[in-house]
Amino acid sequence: TLFRSGFVDDTLKLPLKHLAKIFKSGILKGDTLIKLGYSFLVPHLLILSADFNKIIVADGIEKSIEELKKWVEKAPDAFDWTDAIKFMCELEGDSEHWNEKQEILRRSIQQIVKCDVMQSNPLSPISVPQADCLFIAYLETACLDIQTLCTALKNVSSLLKTGSYLVMVSVFGCTFYVAGKHKCPVLNMNEGNLRKALNDAGYVIEELSVCPRLYLEKFDYIDFEEGAVVVARKERVVE
């Protein structure tokens, strides 16, 4: 199946392993988490649901919003994430209760909204209290240059309490991804770019784990050299 392919090992399983390790540490917890990104990835959310009572999902892609709503509502044509959810539960050492955990996640998701990281309030026109944790998936897909990435990080930081943690999943050396029939450009960044952008946005990096690709074959869906998982603390507000 696709979930047992090299593509999924490199793009999904490796980041999930790092995320599971981070959340097991216990430093990331609180009442509300905002997941912001440009991807419909339920397994990432499964990790988060154990440590936060409320999850707000904000996505920049209408199709992702539509698909997540279908999954939450158990629509007949919803994407089947069973294999990925079972894998995530295995990482947590509790593979038997995978169905119970996905139901907890469904109940934890309070809102699913559109976002635009180029706005000072990325969730406009709605406003929400600042979150205890901000999880961002593949912000670089919304940015075409480093300055845009810096602006986006400053904007999304308005959603997070000072002193709280940002968790990011990103890719380095990426130039495109495919959405439907469209080949979309991506900011080709490296570790140095990301470190500087986070520092300029008021963050102190606590951990940055680079995930080299295990499979070197060319993928039709995306090209990238490495994955990365970052934990950073919001130290100050940058205007």
Side-chain angles (χ1 to χ4, degrees), residues 51-70:
D51 296 297
F52 296 90
N53 298 320
K54 295 183 289 187
I55 297 176
I56 298 170
V57 180
D59 204 291
I61 302 174
E62 290 286 359
K63 183 64 175 177
S64 295
I65 294 172
E66 176 187 333
E67 289 298 327
L68 181 57
K69 285 181 177 179
K70 286 197 291 187

Side-chain angles (χ1 to χ4, degrees), residues 16-212:
L16 284 175
K17 287 179 180 178
H18 282 277
L19 284 172
K21 180 181 177 182
I22 290 167
F23 277 86
K24 277 184 180 179
S25 70
I27 66 168
L28 303 172
K29 58 180 61 177
D31 183 57
T32 303
L33 177 140
I34 295 176
K35 184 272 181 184
L36 188 151
Y38 291 77
S39 60
F40 162 53
L41 295 172
V42 165
H44 295 69
L45 292 171
L46 191 73
I47 304 173
L48 314 176
S49 61
D51 296 297
F52 296 90
N53 298 320
K54 295 183 289 187
I55 297 176
I56 298 170
V57 180
D59 204 291
I61 302 174
E62 290 286 359
K63 183 64 175 177
S64 295
I65 294 172
E66 176 187 333
E67 289 298 327
L68 181 57
K69 285 181 177 179
K70 286 197 291 187
W71 182 83
V72 169
E73 295 165 2
K74 301 183 184 180
D77 59 340
F79 187 85
D80 185 3
W81 284 102
T82 300
D83 285 348
I85 289 170
K86 287 181 177 179
F87 172 77
M88 195 62 253
C89 291
E90 287 173 9
L91 289 179
E92 296 179 326
D94 187 14
S95 57
E96 293 183 4
H97 298 95
W98 65 271
N99 191 50
E100 179 183 337
K101 289 190 174 186
Q102 73 171 355
E103 292 307 315
I104 291 173
L105 172 58
R106 284 188 170 105
R107 292 194 297 269
S108 298
I109 297 174
Q110 303 290 305
Q111 293 175 274
I112 304 172
V113 299
K114 184 77 181 289
C115 71
D116 181 354
V117 297
M118 292 299 105
Q119 295 193 56
S120 57
N121 172 16
L123 306 188
S124 179
I126 72 167
S127 295
V128 298
Q130 288 184 314
D132 301 294
C133 184
L134 179 62
F135 177 80
I136 303 179
Y138 307 111
L139 183 62
E140 61 274 10
T141 60
C143 307
L144 295 179
D145 54 52
I146 298 299
Q147 184 55 52
T148 305
L149 176 68
C150 293
T151 299
L153 276 171
K154 290 175 184 177
N155 289 340
V156 300
S157 292
S158 66
L159 303 174
L160 181 66
K161 295 175 182 176
T162 302
S164 295
Y165 287 93
L166 162 71
V167 180
M168 291 184 72
V169 176
S170 293
V171 286
F172 298 149
C174 184
T175 62
F176 77 90
Y177 72 97
V178 174
K181 297 180 180 180
H182 303 286
K183 188 174 183 179
C184 307
V186 177
L187 169 62
N188 184 350
M189 68 174 179
N190 55 39
E191 181 178 340
N193 298 146
L194 183 56
R195 284 184 178 276
K196 185 177 187 308
L198 284 166
N199 180 70
D200 291 348
Y203 288 91
V204 174
I205 296 174
E206 303 275 338
E207 179 179 343
L208 196 159
S209 301
V210 177
C211 316

